[in-house]
Coordinates of all heavy atoms in Angstrom, one line a residue:
M21 N 23.2 -31.8 29.7 CA 21.9 -31.4 29.4 C 21.3 -30.3 30.3 O 20.5 -29.6 29.9 CB 21.0 -32.8 29.6 CG 19.6 -32.5 29.2 SD 18.7 -34.0 29.2 CE 17.2 -33.6 30.1
A22 N 21.8 -30.3 31.6 CA 21.2 -29.3 32.5 C 21.4 -27.9 32.1 O 20.4 -27.1 32.1 CB 21.8 -29.5 33.8
S23 N 22.6 -27.6 31.5 CA 22.9 -26.2 31.1 C 22.2 -25.8 29.8 O 22.1 -24.7 29.5 CB 24.4 -25.9 31.0 OG 24.9 -26.7 30.0
R24 N 21.8 -26.9 29.1 CA 21.0 -26.6 27.8 C 19.8 -25.8 28.0 O 19.3 -25.0 27.2 CB 20.7 -27.9 27.2 CG 20.0 -27.8 25.9 CD 19.7 -29.2 25.3 NE 20.6 -30.2 25.5 CZ 20.4 -31.4 25.3 NH1 19.3 -31.9 24.8 NH2 21.2 -32.4 25.7
Y25 N 19.2 -25.9 29.2 CA 17.9 -25.3 29.4 C 18.1 -24.1 30.3 O 17.1 -23.6 31.0 CB 16.9 -26.3 30.1 CG 16.6 -27.4 29.0 CD1 16.8 -28.7 29.5 CD2 16.1 -27.2 27.8 CE1 16.6 -29.8 28.6 CE2 15.8 -28.2 26.9 CZ 16.1 -29.5 27.4 OH 15.8 -30.5 26.4
K26 N 19.2 -23.6 30.5 CA 19.5 -22.4 31.4 C 19.0 -21.1 30.6 O 19.6 -20.9 29.5 CB 20.9 -22.3 31.8 CG 21.2 -21.1 32.7 CD 20.6 -21.4 34.1 CE 21.0 -20.2 35.0 NZ 19.9 -19.9 36.0
F27 N 18.1 -20.3 31.0 CA 17.6 -19.2 30.2 C 18.6 -18.1 30.4 O 19.3 -17.9 31.4 CB 16.3 -18.7 30.8 CG 15.1 -19.7 30.7 CD1 13.9 -19.3 31.4 CD2 15.2 -20.8 30.1 CE1 12.8 -20.2 31.3 CE2 14.1 -21.7 29.9 CZ 12.9 -21.3 30.6
V28 N 18.7 -17.3 29.2 CA 19.4 -16.0 29.4 C 18.7 -15.1 30.3 O 17.4 -15.2 30.4 CB 19.6 -15.3 27.9 CG1 20.4 -16.1 27.1 CG2 18.2 -15.0 27.2
H29 N 19.3 -14.2 30.9 CA 18.6 -13.3 32.0 C 17.6 -12.4 31.4 O 16.7 -12.0 32.1 CB 19.7 -12.5 32.8 CG 20.3 -11.4 32.1 ND1 21.3 -11.5 31.2 CD2 20.0 -10.1 32.1 CE1 21.7 -10.4 30.7 NE2 20.9 -9.5 31.3
Q30 N 17.7 -12.2 30.0 CA 16.6 -11.3 29.4 C 15.3 -12.0 29.3 O 14.2 -11.3 29.1 CB 17.1 -10.8 28.1 CG 18.2 -9.8 28.1 CD 19.6 -10.6 28.0 OE1 19.7 -11.7 28.2 NE2 20.6 -9.8 27.9
L31 N 15.3 -13.3 29.3 CA 14.0 -14.1 29.0 C 13.3 -14.1 30.4 O 13.7 -14.6 31.4 CB 14.4 -15.5 28.7 CG 13.2 -16.5 28.4 CD1 12.3 -15.9 27.3 CD2 13.6 -17.9 28.1
K32 N 12.1 -13.6 30.3 CA 11.3 -13.4 31.6 C 10.2 -14.4 31.7 O 9.7 -14.8 32.8 CB 10.6 -12.0 31.6 CG 11.7 -10.9 31.6 CD 12.6 -11.0 32.8 CE 13.6 -9.9 32.8 NZ 14.7 -10.2 33.7
E33 N 9.8 -15.0 30.5 CA 8.6 -16.1 30.7 C 8.7 -16.8 29.4 O 9.0 -16.4 28.3 CB 7.3 -15.3 30.7 CG 6.1 -16.1 30.7 CD 4.8 -15.3 30.7 OE1 4.5 -14.8 31.8 OE2 4.3 -15.1 29.5
L34 N 8.4 -18.1 29.6 CA 8.2 -19.1 28.5 C 6.9 -19.7 28.5 O 6.5 -20.3 29.6 CB 9.3 -20.2 28.5 CG 9.6 -21.0 27.3 CD1 10.0 -20.1 26.2 CD2 10.6 -22.0 27.6
R35 N 6.1 -19.6 27.4 CA 4.6 -20.0 27.5 C 4.4 -21.1 26.3 O 4.7 -20.7 25.2 CB 3.8 -18.8 27.4 CG 2.3 -19.1 27.5 CD 1.5 -17.7 27.6 NE 1.7 -16.9 26.5 CZ 2.3 -15.7 26.5 NH1 2.9 -15.2 27.6 NH2 2.4 -15.0 25.4
F36 N 3.9 -22.2 26.6 CA 3.5 -23.2 25.7 C 2.0 -23.3 25.5 O 1.3 -23.3 26.5 CB 4.0 -24.6 26.1 CG 5.6 -24.7 26.3 CD1 6.2 -24.5 27.5 CD2 6.3 -24.9 25.1 CE1 7.5 -24.6 27.6 CE2 7.7 -24.9 25.3 CZ 8.3 -24.8 26.5
L37 N 1.6 -23.4 24.2 CA 0.1 -23.6 23.9 C 0.1 -24.7 23.0 O 0.7 -24.8 21.9 CB -0.3 -22.3 23.3 CG -1.8 -22.2 22.8 CD1 -2.7 -22.3 23.9 CD2 -2.1 -21.0 22.0
F38 N -0.8 -25.7 23.3 CA -1.0 -26.9 22.5 C -2.3 -27.6 22.8 O -2.9 -27.3 23.8 CB 0.2 -27.9 22.6 CG 0.4 -28.4 24.0 CD1 -0.1 -29.6 24.5 CD2 1.1 -27.7 25.1 CE1 0.1 -30.1 25.7 CE2 1.3 -28.2 26.3 CZ 0.7 -29.3 26.7
C39 N -2.6 -28.6 21.9 CA -3.8 -29.4 22.0 C -3.4 -30.8 22.8 O -2.4 -31.3 22.6 CB -4.3 -29.7 20.7 SG -5.8 -30.8 20.7
Q40 N -4.3 -31.1 23.8 CA -4.1 -32.2 24.6 C -4.1 -33.5 23.9 O -3.4 -34.6 24.1 CB -5.2 -32.4 25.7 CG -5.4 -31.2 26.6 CD -6.5 -30.4 26.0 OE1 -6.6 -30.0 24.9 NE2 -7.4 -30.0 26.9
T41 N -4.7 -33.6 22.7 CA -4.9 -34.9 22.1 C -4.6 -34.8 20.5 O -4.4 -35.7 19.9 CB -6.4 -35.3 22.0 OG1 -7.2 -34.3 21.4 CG2 -6.8 -35.7 23.4
G42 N -4.3 -33.6 20.0 CA -4.0 -33.4 18.6 C -2.7 -34.0 18.2 O -1.7 -33.9 18.8
E43 N -2.6 -34.6 16.9 CA -1.4 -35.3 16.4 C -0.3 -34.2 16.1 O 0.9 -34.5 16.3 CB -1.7 -36.1 15.2 CG -0.6 -36.9 14.7 CD -0.2 -37.9 15.7 OE1 -1.1 -38.5 16.5 OE2 1.1 -38.2 15.8
N44 N -0.7 -33.0 15.8 CA 0.2 -31.8 15.5 C 1.0 -31.4 16.7 O 2.1 -30.8 16.7 CB -0.5 -30.7 14.8 CG -0.8 -30.9 13.4 OD1 -0.2 -31.6 12.8 ND2 -1.8 -30.2 12.9
S45 N 0.4 -31.7 17.9 CA 1.1 -31.3 19.2 C 1.8 -32.4 19.8 O 2.4 -32.2 20.9 CB 0.0 -30.8 20.2 OG -0.7 -29.7 19.7
A46 N 1.8 -33.6 19.2 CA 2.6 -34.8 19.9 C 4.0 -34.5 20.2 O 4.5 -34.9 21.3 CB 2.4 -36.0 19.0
G47 N 4.7 -33.8 19.2 CA 6.2 -33.6 19.5 C 6.4 -32.6 20.7 O 7.3 -32.9 21.5
L48 N 5.5 -31.7 20.8 CA 5.6 -30.7 21.9 C 5.2 -31.4 23.3 O 6.0 -31.1 24.3 CB 4.8 -29.5 21.7 CG 4.7 -28.4 22.8 CD1 6.1 -27.9 23.2 CD2 3.8 -27.2 22.5
R49 N 4.2 -32.3 23.2 CA 3.9 -33.1 24.5 C 5.1 -33.9 24.9 O 5.4 -34.0 26.0 CB 2.6 -33.7 24.3 CG 1.4 -32.9 24.2 CD 0.0 -33.8 24.3 NE 0.0 -34.9 23.3 CZ -0.5 -34.9 22.1 NH1 -1.1 -33.8 21.7 NH2 -0.5 -35.9 21.3
A50 N 5.7 -34.6 23.9 CA 6.9 -35.5 24.2 C 8.0 -34.6 24.8 O 8.7 -35.0 25.8 CB 7.2 -36.2 23.1
F51 N 8.3 -33.5 24.2 CA 9.3 -32.6 24.7 C 9.0 -32.2 26.1 O 10.0 -32.2 27.0 CB 9.5 -31.3 23.8 CG 10.3 -30.3 24.3 CD1 11.8 -30.5 24.2 CD2 9.9 -29.2 24.9 CE1 12.6 -29.5 24.8 CE2 10.7 -28.2 25.4 CZ 12.0 -28.4 25.3
L52 N 7.9 -31.7 26.4 CA 7.5 -31.2 27.7 C 7.6 -32.3 28.8 O 8.1 -32.1 29.8 CB 6.1 -30.5 27.8 CG 6.0 -29.2 27.1 CD1 4.7 -28.7 27.0 CD2 7.0 -28.2 27.7
N53 N 7.2 -33.5 28.4 CA 7.2 -34.7 29.3 C 8.7 -34.9 29.7 O 9.0 -35.3 30.8 CB 6.6 -35.9 28.8 CG 5.1 -35.8 28.8 OD1 4.5 -35.2 29.8 ND2 4.4 -36.4 27.9
R54 N 9.5 -34.8 28.7 CA 11.0 -35.1 28.9 C 11.7 -34.1 29.6 O 12.6 -34.3 30.4 CB 11.6 -35.6 27.6 CG 13.0 -35.9 27.6 CD 13.5 -36.3 26.2 NE 13.1 -35.5 25.1 CZ 13.9 -34.5 24.6 NH1 15.0 -34.2 25.4 NH2 13.5 -33.8 23.7
S55 N 11.5 -32.8 29.2 CA 12.3 -31.7 29.5 C 11.9 -30.7 30.5 O 12.6 -29.9 31.0 CB 12.7 -30.9 28.2 OG 13.2 -31.8 27.3
Y56 N 10.6 -30.6 30.8 CA 10.1 -29.7 31.8 C 10.8 -29.7 33.0 O 11.2 -28.7 33.6 CB 8.6 -29.8 31.9 CG 8.0 -28.9 33.0 CD1 7.8 -27.6 32.6 CD2 7.8 -29.2 34.3 CE1 7.2 -26.6 33.5 CE2 7.3 -28.3 35.2 CZ 7.0 -27.0 34.9 OH 6.6 -26.1 35.7
P57 N 11.0 -30.9 33.7 CA 11.7 -30.9 35.1 C 13.1 -30.3 34.9 O 13.4 -29.5 35.9 CB 11.8 -32.5 35.4 CG 10.7 -33.0 34.6 CD 10.6 -32.2 33.3
A58 N 13.8 -30.5 33.9 CA 15.1 -29.9 33.8 C 15.1 -28.4 33.6 O 15.9 -27.6 34.2 CB 15.9 -30.5 32.6
M59 N 14.1 -27.9 32.7 CA 13.9 -26.5 32.6 C 13.5 -25.8 33.9 O 14.2 -24.7 34.2 CB 12.9 -26.2 31.5 CG 13.4 -26.3 30.1 SD 12.2 -25.5 28.9 CE 10.8 -26.7 29.0
K60 N 12.6 -26.4 34.6 CA 12.3 -25.7 35.8 C 13.3 -25.8 36.9 O 13.5 -24.7 37.6 CB 10.9 -26.5 36.3 CG 10.2 -25.6 37.4 CD 9.8 -24.2 36.8 CE 9.3 -23.3 37.9 NZ 9.1 -21.9 37.4
S61 N 14.1 -26.8 37.0 CA 15.1 -26.9 38.0 C 16.2 -25.9 37.7 O 16.9 -25.4 38.6 CB 15.6 -28.3 38.2 OG 16.3 -28.7 37.1
N62 N 16.5 -25.7 36.4 CA 17.5 -24.7 36.1 C 17.1 -23.2 36.1 O 17.8 -22.3 36.1 CB 18.0 -25.0 34.7 CG 19.0 -26.2 34.7 OD1 20.0 -26.1 35.4 ND2 18.7 -27.2 33.9
N63 N 15.7 -23.1 36.1 CA 15.2 -21.7 36.1 C 14.1 -21.6 37.1 O 12.9 -21.4 36.8 CB 14.6 -21.4 34.7 CG 15.7 -21.6 33.7 OD1 16.6 -20.8 33.6 ND2 15.5 -22.7 33.0
P64 N 14.3 -21.8 38.4 CA 13.3 -21.9 39.4 C 12.4 -20.6 39.6 O 11.3 -20.8 40.0 CB 14.0 -22.3 40.7 CG 15.4 -21.8 40.5 CD 15.6 -21.9 39.0
H65 N 13.0 -19.5 39.2 CA 12.1 -18.2 39.5 C 11.6 -17.7 38.2 O 11.0 -16.6 38.2 CB 13.1 -17.2 40.1 CG 13.6 -17.6 41.3 ND1 12.9 -17.8 42.5 CD2 14.9 -18.0 41.8 CE1 13.6 -18.3 43.5 NE2 14.9 -18.3 43.1
S66 N 11.7 -18.4 37.1 CA 11.1 -18.0 35.8 C 9.9 -18.8 35.5 O 9.9 -19.9 35.6 CB 12.1 -18.3 34.6 OG 13.3 -17.5 34.8
P67 N 8.8 -18.0 35.2 CA 7.6 -18.7 34.9 C 7.7 -19.5 33.6 O 8.1 -19.0 32.6 CB 6.5 -17.6 34.7 CG 7.2 -16.4 35.1 CD 8.7 -16.6 35.1
I68 N 7.3 -20.8 33.7 CA 7.1 -21.6 32.5 C 5.6 -22.1 32.4 O 5.2 -22.8 33.3 CB 8.0 -22.9 32.6 CG1 9.5 -22.4 32.6 CG2 7.8 -23.7 31.3 CD1 10.5 -23.5 32.8
L69 N 4.9 -21.4 31.6 CA 3.4 -21.7 31.6 C 3.0 -22.8 30.5 O 3.6 -22.7 29.4 CB 2.7 -20.3 31.3 CG 3.1 -19.2 32.2 CD1 2.5 -17.8 31.7 CD2 2.7 -19.4 33.5
I70 N 2.1 -23.5 30.9 CA 1.6 -24.5 30.0 C 0.2 -24.4 29.8 O -0.6 -24.5 30.8 CB 2.0 -26.0 30.4 CG1 3.5 -26.2 30.5 CG2 1.4 -27.1 29.6 CD1 4.0 -27.5 31.1
R71 N -0.3 -24.1 28.5 CA -1.7 -24.0 28.4 C -2.2 -24.9 27.3 O -1.6 -25.0 26.2 CB -1.9 -22.5 27.7 CG -1.5 -21.4 28.6 CD -2.4 -21.3 29.8 NE -2.0 -20.2 30.7 CZ -1.5 -20.4 31.9 NH1 -1.4 -21.5 32.4 NH2 -1.2 -19.2 32.6
E72 N -3.2 -25.7 27.7 CA -3.8 -26.7 26.8 C -5.1 -26.2 26.4 O -5.9 -25.6 27.2 CB -3.9 -28.1 27.5 CG -2.6 -28.6 28.0 CD -2.8 -29.9 28.8 OE1 -3.9 -30.0 29.5 OE2 -1.9 -30.8 28.7
A73 N -5.5 -26.4 25.1 CA -6.7 -26.0 24.5 C -7.1 -26.9 23.4 O -6.2 -27.2 22.6 CB -6.8 -24.6 24.0
A74 N -8.3 -27.4 23.3 CA -8.6 -28.3 22.2 C -8.5 -27.7 20.8 O -9.0 -26.5 20.5 CB -10.1 -28.8 22.4
G75 N -7.8 -28.2 19.9 CA -7.8 -27.9 18.6 C -6.8 -26.8 18.2 O -6.8 -26.2 17.1
V76 N -6.0 -26.3 19.1 CA -5.1 -25.2 18.7 C -3.9 -25.7 18.2 O -3.4 -26.8 18.4 CB -4.8 -24.4 20.0 CG1 -6.0 -23.7 20.7 CG2 -4.0 -25.1 21.0
E77 N -3.2 -24.8 17.4 CA -1.9 -25.1 16.8 C -0.8 -25.0 17.9 O -0.8 -24.0 18.6 CB -1.6 -24.0 15.7 CG -0.4 -24.2 14.9 CD -0.4 -23.1 13.8 OE1 -1.2 -23.1 12.9 OE2 0.5 -22.2 13.9
P78 N 0.1 -25.9 18.0 CA 1.2 -25.8 19.0 C 2.1 -24.7 18.7 O 2.6 -24.5 17.6 CB 1.8 -27.2 18.9 CG 1.6 -27.7 17.6 CD 0.2 -27.1 17.1
R79 N 2.3 -23.9 19.9 CA 3.2 -22.8 19.7 C 4.0 -22.5 21.0 O 3.5 -23.0 22.1 CB 2.4 -21.5 19.5 CG 1.8 -21.4 18.1 CD 1.1 -20.0 17.9 NE -0.3 -20.3 17.6 CZ -1.2 -19.3 17.6 NH1 -0.9 -18.2 17.9 NH2 -2.4 -19.7 17.3
V80 N 5.1 -21.8 21.0 CA 5.8 -21.4 22.2 C 6.0 -19.8 22.0 O 6.2 -19.3 20.9 CB 7.1 -22.2 22.3 CG1 8.0 -21.9 21.2 CG2 7.9 -21.8 23.6
F81 N 5.7 -19.2 23.1 CA 5.9 -17.8 23.2 C 7.0 -17.5 24.3 O 7.1 -18.0 25.3 CB 4.7 -17.1 23.6 CG 3.5 -17.3 22.8 CD1 2.7 -18.3 23.0 CD2 3.2 -16.3 21.9 CE1 1.6 -18.5 22.1 CE2 2.1 -16.4 21.1 CZ 1.3 -17.6 21.2
A82 N 8.0 -16.6 23.9 CA 9.1 -16.3 24.8 C 8.9 -14.7 25.0 O 8.9 -13.9 24.1 CB 10.5 -16.6 24.2
R83 N 8.8 -14.3 26.2 CA 8.7 -13.0 26.6 C 10.0 -12.5 27.2 O 10.5 -13.1 28.1 CB 7.5 -12.6 27.6 CG 7.3 -11.1 27.8 CD 6.0 -10.9 28.7 NE 6.1 -11.6 29.9 CZ 6.7 -11.2 31.0 NH1 7.5 -10.1 31.0 NH2 6.7 -12.0 32.1
Y84 N 10.6 -11.4 26.7 CA 11.9 -10.9 27.2 C 11.6 -9.5 27.8 O 10.6 -9.1 28.1 CB 12.8 -10.7 25.9 CG 13.1 -11.9 25.1 CD1 12.3 -12.3 24.0 CD2 14.1 -12.8 25.4 CE1 12.5 -13.5 23.3 CE2 14.3 -13.9 24.6 CZ 13.6 -14.3 23.7 OH 13.7 -15.4 23.0
E85 N 12.8 -9.0 28.2 CA 12.8 -7.7 28.9 C 12.0 -6.7 28.1 O 12.0 -6.7 26.8 CB 14.2 -7.2 29.2 CG 14.9 -7.9 30.3 CD 16.3 -7.3 30.4 OE1 16.9 -6.9 29.4 OE2 16.8 -7.3 31.6
F86 N 11.4 -5.7 28.7 CA 10.7 -4.6 28.0 C 9.6 -5.0 27.3 O 9.1 -4.3 26.2 CB 11.7 -3.7 27.2 CG 12.8 -3.3 28.0 CD1 14.2 -3.8 27.7 CD2 12.8 -2.5 29.1 CE1 15.3 -3.4 28.4 CE2 13.9 -2.0 29.8 CZ 15.1 -2.5 29.4
G87 N 8.9 -6.1 27.6 CA 7.7 -6.7 26.9 C 7.9 -7.2 25.6 O 6.9 -7.5 24.8
K88 N 9.1 -7.3 25.1 CA 9.3 -7.9 23.8 C 9.0 -9.4 23.8 O 9.3 -10.1 24.6 CB 10.8 -7.7 23.3 CG 11.1 -6.3 23.1 CD 12.4 -6.0 22.5 CE 12.9 -4.6 22.5 NZ 12.9 -3.8 21.4
E89 N 8.3 -9.9 22.7 CA 7.9 -11.2 22.7 C 8.2 -11.9 21.3 O 8.1 -11.2 20.3 CB 6.4 -11.2 23.0 CG 5.9 -12.6 23.3 CD 4.5 -12.5 24.0 OE1 4.3 -12.3 25.1 OE2 3.5 -12.8 23.2
R90 N 8.6 -13.2 21.3 CA 8.7 -13.9 20.1 C 7.9 -15.1 20.2 O 7.7 -15.7 21.3 CB 10.3 -14.4 20.0 CG 11.2 -13.2 19.6 CD 12.1 -13.4 18.5 NE 11.9 -14.4 17.5 CZ 12.7 -15.4 17.2 NH1 13.9 -15.6 17.9 NH2 12.4 -16.3 16.3
Q91 N 7.5 -15.6 19.0 CA 6.6 -16.8 19.0 C 7.2 -17.7 17.9 O 7.6 -17.3 16.9 CB 5.2 -16.3 18.7 CG 4.3 -17.3 17.9 CD 3.0 -16.7 17.7 OE1 2.3 -16.2 18.5 NE2 2.6 -16.6 16.5
E92 N 7.1 -19.0 18.1 CA 7.4 -20.0 17.2 C 6.3 -21.0 17.0 O 5.7 -21.4 18.1 CB 8.7 -20.8 17.6 CG 10.0 -20.0 17.6 CD 10.5 -19.6 16.1 OE1 10.1 -20.5 15.2 OE2 11.2 -18.7 15.9
T93 N 6.0 -21.4 15.8 CA 5.0 -22.5 15.6 C 5.6 -23.7 15.6 O 6.7 -23.9 15.0 CB 4.3 -22.1 14.2 OG1 3.7 -20.9 14.3 CG2 3.2 -23.2 14.0
L94 N 5.0 -24.8 16.3 CA 5.6 -26.1 16.4 C 4.8 -27.1 15.8 O 4.9 -28.3 16.2 CB 5.9 -26.3 17.9 CG 6.6 -25.3 18.6 CD1 6.7 -25.5 20.1 CD2 8.1 -25.1 18.2
T95 N 3.9 -26.9 14.9 CA 3.1 -27.8 14.2 C 3.8 -28.9 13.5 O 4.7 -28.7 12.7 CB 2.1 -27.1 13.2 OG1 1.5 -26.0 13.8 CG2 1.2 -28.0 12.6
G96 N 3.5 -30.1 13.9 CA 4.0 -31.3 13.3 C 5.5 -31.6 13.5 O 6.0 -32.4 12.9
L97 N 6.1 -30.9 14.4 CA 7.6 -31.2 14.7 C 7.7 -32.4 15.6 O 6.8 -32.6 16.5 CB 8.1 -29.9 15.2 CG 8.2 -28.7 14.4 CD1 8.9 -27.5 15.1 CD2 8.8 -29.0 13.0
N98 N 8.7 -33.1 15.6 CA 9.0 -34.2 16.5 C 9.7 -33.5 17.7 O 10.0 -32.4 17.7 CB 9.8 -35.4 16.0 CG 11.2 -34.9 15.6 OD1 11.9 -34.1 16.2 ND2 11.7 -35.6 14.5
D99 N 9.9 -34.3 18.9 CA 10.4 -33.7 20.0 C 11.8 -33.1 19.9 O 12.2 -32.1 20.5 CB 10.3 -34.6 21.2 CG 11.2 -35.9 21.1 OD1 11.5 -36.3 20.0 OD2 11.6 -36.5 22.1
K100 N 12.7 -33.7 19.1 CA 14.0 -33.2 18.9 C 14.0 -31.8 18.1 O 14.7 -30.9 18.4 CB 14.9 -34.1 18.0 CG 15.2 -35.4 18.9 CD 16.1 -35.1 20.1 CE 16.3 -36.3 20.9 NZ 16.9 -36.1 22.1
Q101 N 13.1 -31.7 17.1 CA 12.9 -30.5 16.4 C 12.4 -29.3 17.2 O 12.8 -28.2 17.2 CB 12.0 -30.7 15.1 CG 12.6 -31.6 14.0 CD 11.6 -31.9 13.0 OE1 10.4 -32.3 13.4 NE2 12.0 -32.0 11.8
V102 N 11.3 -29.8 18.2 CA 10.9 -28.8 19.1 C 12.0 -28.4 20.0 O 12.1 -27.2 20.3 CB 9.7 -29.4 19.9 CG1 9.3 -28.6 21.2 CG2 8.5 -29.7 19.0
E103 N 12.8 -29.2 20.5 CA 13.9 -28.9 21.4 C 14.9 -27.9 20.7 O 15.4 -26.9 21.4 CB 14.7 -30.2 21.7 CG 15.9 -29.8 22.7 CD 16.7 -31.1 23.1 OE1 16.6 -32.1 22.5 OE2 17.2 -31.0 24.3
E104 N 15.2 -28.1 19.4 CA 16.1 -27.1 18.7 C 15.4 -25.7 18.6 O 16.0 -24.8 19.0 CB 16.3 -27.6 17.3 CG 17.1 -28.7 17.2 CD 17.2 -29.4 15.8 OE1 16.8 -28.7 14.8 OE2 17.7 -30.5 15.6
K105 N 14.2 -25.6 18.4 CA 13.4 -24.3 18.3 C 13.4 -23.7 19.7 O 13.7 -22.5 19.8 CB 11.9 -24.5 17.8 CG 11.9 -24.9 16.4 CD 11.2 -23.8 15.7 CE 11.1 -24.3 14.2 NZ 10.7 -23.2 13.4
I106 N 13.1 -24.4 20.8 CA 13.1 -23.9 22.2 C 14.4 -23.4 22.5 O 14.6 -22.4 23.3 CB 12.5 -25.0 23.2 CG1 11.2 -25.5 22.8 CG2 12.6 -24.5 24.6 CD1 10.1 -24.5 22.7
S107 N 15.5 -24.2 22.2 CA 16.9 -23.9 22.6 C 17.3 -22.5 21.9 O 18.0 -21.7 22.6 CB 17.9 -24.9 22.1 OG 17.6 -26.1 22.8
Q108 N 16.9 -22.3 20.8 CA 17.1 -21.0 20.1 C 16.5 -19.9 20.8 O 17.0 -18.8 21.1 CB 16.6 -21.0 18.6 CG 17.4 -21.9 17.8 CD 16.7 -22.0 16.3 OE1 15.6 -21.5 16.1 NE2 17.3 -22.8 15.4
L109 N 15.2 -20.0 21.3 CA 14.5 -19.0 21.9 C 15.1 -18.7 23.3 O 15.2 -17.5 23.7 CB 13.0 -19.4 22.1 CG 12.1 -19.2 20.9 CD1 10.7 -19.7 21.2 CD2 12.0 -17.8 20.5
I110 N 15.4 -19.8 24.0 CA 16.0 -19.5 25.4 C 17.4 -19.0 25.5 O 17.8 -18.4 26.5 CB 15.8 -20.7 26.3 CG1 16.6 -21.9 25.9 CG2 14.3 -21.1 26.5 CD1 16.4 -23.1 26.8
K111 N 18.1 -19.1 24.4 CA 19.5 -18.7 24.4 C 19.7 -17.4 23.7 O 20.7 -16.7 23.9 CB 20.3 -19.7 23.5 CG 20.5 -21.1 24.2 CD 21.2 -21.0 25.6 CE 21.2 -22.3 26.2 NZ 21.6 -22.3 27.6
E112 N 18.7 -16.9 22.9 CA 18.9 -15.6 22.3 C 18.5 -14.5 23.1 O 17.5 -14.6 24.0 CB 18.2 -15.6 20.8 CG 16.7 -15.5 20.9 CD 16.1 -15.6 19.5 OE1 16.7 -16.1 18.7 OE2 15.1 -15.0 19.4
Q113 N 18.9 -13.3 22.8 CA 18.5 -12.1 23.5 C 17.5 -11.4 22.7 O 17.6 -11.5 21.5 CB 19.7 -11.3 23.9 CG 20.8 -12.0 24.7 CD 22.0 -11.1 25.0 OE1 22.0 -9.9 24.7 NE2 22.9 -11.8 25.4
A114 N 16.6 -10.7 23.3 CA 15.6 -10.0 22.6 C 16.3 -8.9 21.7 O 17.2 -8.2 22.1 CB 14.6 -9.2 23.6
V115 N 15.6 -8.8 20.5 CA 16.2 -7.8 19.5 C 15.5 -6.6 19.5 O 14.3 -6.6 19.7 CB 16.2 -8.5 18.1 CG1 16.8 -7.6 17.1 CG2 16.9 -9.8 18.2

């Protein structure tokens, strides 16, 4: 599990945006509660930002080298589906 959250070197920042209480964000909240410690311990020098705001759609933003950014919407996904989307972002290289 530990190497699952090792970022590619091109990934410079991972940013999560979600609602603290919204049902659409439940999967992302569960994923972060379970996986944040492993992600941070495997990437101690990479910023992993968590932004909470009332009523927002859950999303993740990945910023790569040269300012390239990708975003995925995580609305209504369970924690395993969220993990699949996040794994794709942290393993791929910026296009």
Side-chain angles (χ1 to χ4, degrees):
M21 179 169 137
S23 65
R24 180 182 327 171
Y25 299 121
K26 183 74 176 146
F27 296 173
V28 293
H29 75 278
Q30 292 91 349
L31 182 62
K32 300 302 179 192
E33 175 185 283
L34 197 59
R35 188 171 58 246
F36 297 96
L37 177 66
F38 62 97
C39 179
Q40 307 93 312
T41 57
E43 193 59 36
N44 283 335
S45 297
L48 179 54
R49 288 192 307 268
F51 169 77
L52 288 172
N53 283 331
R54 178 174 52 86
S55 303
Y56 178 81
M59 275 195 294
K60 196 58 187 172
S61 67
N62 282 305
N63 307 286
H65 302 294
S66 297
I68 301 173
L69 308 172
I70 298 174
R71 301 289 183 246
E72 299 175 329
V76 299
E77 184 176 291
R79 289 185 238 169
V80 61
F81 299 85
R83 187 174 53 82
Y84 300 93
E85 288 181 324
F86 308 114
K88 295 189 190 250
E89 197 166 279
R90 288 226 24 233
Q91 152 182 305
E92 290 286 338
T93 301
L94 306 171
T95 303
L97 301 180
N98 65 34
D99 65 330
K100 293 296 180 187
Q101 293 168 320
V102 169
E103 181 175 24
E104 290 171 15
K105 293 244 185 195
I106 302 301
S107 293
Q108 290 171 358
L109 283 176
I110 64 177
K111 295 295 181 194
E112 74 181 30
Q113 298 179 16
V115 182

